[in-house]
Structures are given as C-alpha cells and as structure tokens.
Amino acid sequence: MAGVLAAVPAAGACGSEPGTASGVPPVPASGAPSGGPSPAPTLASPTPTPSTACSPDGVSLSMDRPDAAMGLRATWVELHNCGTRPYRLNGYPALRVLDEKRQPFDVRAVEGTRQIKDPGPKPVTVAPGGSARIGIVWRNLVTESTVPAVNGSYLEVRPAPGRPVLVVPANGPLDLGNTGRLETTAWTLAR
C-alpha cells in the first residue's frame, strides 16, 4: 500500500504557529489537556498486516500499523477486491471497535475528519485486483479515571450499507483512551 497519510491543518487554524522540530505542522488537540498542540501523524513507511481471508463477497481487509504522535493516532485500512467482479463503494464505512473477544466497545464512529485529508463521499468502483482505503484517526486520551479506557483488538468494517461486515485484526492497539470517538475518511481508490 503506497502513499503517505498526509496531515492537513484543522479548519479555522491559523498558519502563524511554527512547525515542530521534525518539520511536521502541529495539529490542534481538541479536548486534550493544556500543554500545547500535538504534531500530526504521518505514515511514510506502511507496514500492513496480512489480509483477512477473501470473503464470499470477494473482498479482504488489511490494516497498517498506526502512527502515533503525542496521543494522536492514524492509520490506513485497505479493502482489496480479491473477487472477479467490480466492488462498489460510496462514502463512509460503518465502523466498530471490538475487544479481544470481538465484543464491541461503546465508541462513536464519526464520518469525516479534519486531522488528515478526507476525499469526501463519492462513488468508488474497485476493479478485481484493485484496492480502496480509508484513513482512521483517534486520540489516546484519558480524561476520567472512572471510565474504562478502550484498547481494541479488532476493527469491524461494514464497507457500504447492505454489505456484510468484515473484521480485521488491529495492527497495534486501537487505544482510544476514554474519548469514545473514532474518525474516518471516505473510501478512496488506493494508489
């Protein structure tokens, strides 16, 4: 899976703040404790997990290792068309974070993100042998000591309404703290 999970500044952010020592521009840490903005994550060298088996629907999933930057996490989830027919997508997938027993956590999946580039919802047709992907973003932030932190082991993905769900093992923890929020981009063809 080639490409970089590119960071973009949040809407309404001023361009007056200097970048970090690594040259990555800071990203506002909405809801984060004071102490300055967090740098945005990037994925320069993806390390995908082995794909799930090809489903009866003719697709499989893989997930890159999340990139972490001071509490902000981001990664790609790729859908590969291992079937013989085109596979049509449009917009955002339905997502659920699951524990090691594949039980869902109480997490709200949010369509769209300002932390990474989101192509927005549009029809996408994945040819046999081709791939599409989404970027997912979350914060590892614990704000309440009485609320258990989410540390997911699997991601459940319904690629489109009416399509069967697929479950991909997380390539590193889905450590959402107790934010209860996972953001996703819309599907786009993988390069």
Side-chain angles (χ1 to χ4, degrees):
M1 199 165 34
V4 173
L5 190 56
V8 294
C14 296
S16 60
E17 184 144 350
T20 63
S22 67
V24 176
V27 173
S30 59
S34 63
S38 302
T42 60
L43 284 179
S45 303
T47 52
T49 60
S51 293
T52 58
C54 191
S55 73
D57 216 21
V59 295
S60 65
L61 289 179
S62 65
M63 181 186 291
D64 283 355
R65 180 169 295 285
D67 184 39
M70 297 185 64
L72 183 64
R73 313 285 201 247
T75 193
W76 292 115
V77 176
E78 187 164 309
L79 177 144
H80 179 73
N81 184 341
C82 48
T84 59
R85 297 177 182 217
Y87 192 87
R88 289 176 180 76
L89 301 165
N90 189 355
Y92 298 92
L95 303 175
R96 291 197 317 172
V97 178
L98 309 178
D99 67 14
E100 67 280 350
K101 295 178 182 174
R102 298 189 182 208
Q103 296 302 306
F105 284 102
D106 185 17
V107 170
R108 183 170 63 106
V110 177
E111 294 179 351
T113 180
R114 295 184 306 199
Q115 304 299 332
I116 60 175
K117 185 175 181 179
D118 182 358
K122 62 184 174 190
V124 172
T125 300
V126 186
S131 297
R133 65 184 181 178
I134 56 167
I136 58 172
V137 179
W138 67 94
R139 287 199 178 277
N140 180 2
L141 181 63
V142 176
T143 57
E144 298 179 45
S145 61
T146 59
V147 177
V150 170
N151 195 4
S153 299
Y154 297 92
L155 183 67
E156 181 186 274
V157 179
R158 182 178 301 276
R163 296 283 191 173
V165 298
L166 302 164
V167 177
V168 63
N171 189 2
L174 291 169
D175 53 351
L176 281 67
N178 56 24
T179 62
R181 181 180 174 100
L182 178 69
E183 298 175 358
T184 181
T185 66
W187 288 109
T188 187
L189 291 176
R191 296 178 202 147

